[in-house]
Amino acid sequence: MSLAFFGAVALAQPAVYDAGKLEYMDNCASCHGVDGKGNGPLGNLLQRSPPDLTLLAKNNQGVLPMNRLFEVLDGANVPSHGTRDMPVWGREYRIEEAQRLREARRHYDEPAVVRARILTLLEYISRIQAR
C-alpha cells in the first residue's frame, strides 16, 4: 500500500517549467537540433549548416558572446537586404506579442517583452554550453 502512495506522490509532482528551453524548442530546435549541436531536421534545407550552439563559448575563449547573440536574435545591425537563413526573432516576437496581447490595448511594454523572451532564450543557450 505504501508503494502505491509513493507512486501517486511521484505522479503528482508538478512539471518544471523551463521558459528558456520552451523558447528554444519552439524556435531553434528545428534547425539547431534538440541538443543544440546543429543537427535539426530542417538544417539540411539551409544554404549553410546551422552552427553547434553548444560550442559558442568554447570557440570564443570560454566566453559566451551574449551581446552578439542578442543582436543576432533581435536582428540588430542586420542589413535590410540580402539573404539571412536565420529568422530575426525580435521581429517575430513583436508580431506574436502584438497579436497575443491585443486585448491589453497597448498597456504593456512591447520592447521589454521581446527583450525578456530573447534573454530567456540566451540563458538557456548558456546552460547547454560544452564544458
Side-chain angles (χ1 to χ4, degrees):
M1 178 133 172
S2 64
L3 189 56
F5 172 76
F6 287 116
V9 170
L11 291 176
Q13 296 296 319
V16 175
Y17 179 74
D18 187 338
K21 185 173 184 176
L22 183 61
E23 284 289 344
Y24 179 84
M25 297 306 283
D26 285 349
N27 299 311
C28 309
S30 59
C31 294
H32 292 281
V34 172
D35 59 2
K37 294 189 180 289
N39 56 1
L42 299 182
N44 63 346
L45 301 176
L46 303 175
Q47 290 179 1
R48 292 185 340 196
S49 297
D52 182 339
L53 298 179
T54 67
L55 298 177
L56 294 173
K58 188 174 188 176
N59 292 338
N60 193 47
Q61 300 173 348
V63 177
L64 188 62
M66 294 295 276
N67 288 339
R68 178 67 184 130
L69 292 173
F70 188 96
E71 289 175 349
V72 168
L73 291 170
D74 185 48
N77 303 320
V78 174
S80 59
H81 54 80
T83 61
R84 177 181 161 115
D85 286 333
M86 194 176 117
V88 176
W89 289 111
R91 182 184 65 226
E92 296 299 319
Y93 287 165
R94 280 187 282 284
I95 292 167
E96 278 181 30
E97 295 305 325
Q99 292 171 348
R100 185 179 321 170
L101 300 172
R102 186 167 298 165
E103 65 274 8
R105 293 188 170 91
R106 294 292 201 208
H107 291 30
Y108 65 96
D109 187 348
E110 182 181 272
V113 171
V114 171
R115 189 171 41 256
R117 288 183 70 181
I118 292 171
L119 290 173
T120 299
L121 178 55
L122 290 176
E123 187 276 330
Y124 177 74
I125 291 172
S126 75
R127 285 190 276 139
I128 65 170
Q129 293 306 292
R131 304 285 174 220

